[in-house]
Amino acid sequence: MGQLSNRNIAVLSENGFEETELTSPVQRLKEEGAMVHIISSKSGKIQAMKGDHEWTIEVDVDKTIKEANADDYHGLLIPGGVLNPDSLRKNEEAIAFVKAFFSAGKPVAAICHGPQVLITAEVVAGRKLTSTKTIKIDLVNAGANWYDEEVVVDEGLVTSRSPKDLPAFNEKIVEEFAEGIHEGQHS
């Protein structure tokens, strides 16, 4: 039995996610016994990117955002990539899904460009986090306290900068998802 047995984790993504920022955390979550669902705006498959220009693997979508209910999940993971967060930010249902995790105090993890979704969900003001440096100013302007560290944890909110930080990120998401509800996570 892993630390995350009996835990359901939602992975919110669209086409253009950074491949390792989805596959590596998902593998680690499953190793700890979590049931992981890939959730996207459309059914079928979503495709990864490596860097800014190379399309790579396809991943099966388990549920659409319309089919998914945040109440059914213990935590949320938002992978980065340049295209993925930008697509999610335009989707009102995706933003409502993200907000529901914060309202319930559930742990949320985002890496690289993933925190852009949190800006649109208006849940970063006063929070400590990190991201790729290219969106630092966006997070600061939205009221976040930005740190240049491999992983930053703030009351159930776990963020990292890039794929090179995945080992630290993966360990912290397991820890935070295992802890469950965080009173300070409420938006």
Side-chain angles (χ1 to χ4, degrees), residues 99-118:
K99 285 181 175 185
F101 282 85
F102 282 87
S103 294
K106 295 178 181 179
V108 174
I111 186 167
C112 199
H113 288 82
Q116 286 180 308
V117 179
L118 305 180

Side-chain angles (χ1 to χ4, degrees), residues 33-61:
M35 171 66 70
V36 179
H37 287 156
I38 307 299
I39 298 170
S40 192
S41 62
K42 294 184 176 102
S43 59
K45 296 180 182 291
I46 52 175
Q47 191 168 16
M49 280 199 113
K50 196 171 189 178
D52 296 340
H53 58 281
E54 181 186 345
W55 290 99
T56 61
I57 66 167
E58 289 185 327
V59 175
D60 290 326
V61 172

Side-chain angles (χ1 to χ4, degrees), residues 3-4 20-32 77 109 111 150-151 158-160 162-178:
Q3 293 182 66
L4 299 177
T20 59
E21 292 174 3
L22 184 145
T23 59
S24 176
V26 165
Q27 177 183 342
R28 184 71 186 100
L29 293 169
K30 287 180 176 180
E31 287 170 1
E32 289 295 334
L77 169 67
I111 186 167
E150 67 180 356
V151 65
V158 183
T159 52
S160 279
S162 72
K164 72 178 196 264
D165 298 327
L166 280 166
F169 180 71
N170 290 347
E171 291 314 304
K172 282 297 181 186
I173 66 173
V174 167
E175 181 181 319
E176 295 301 305
F177 290 163

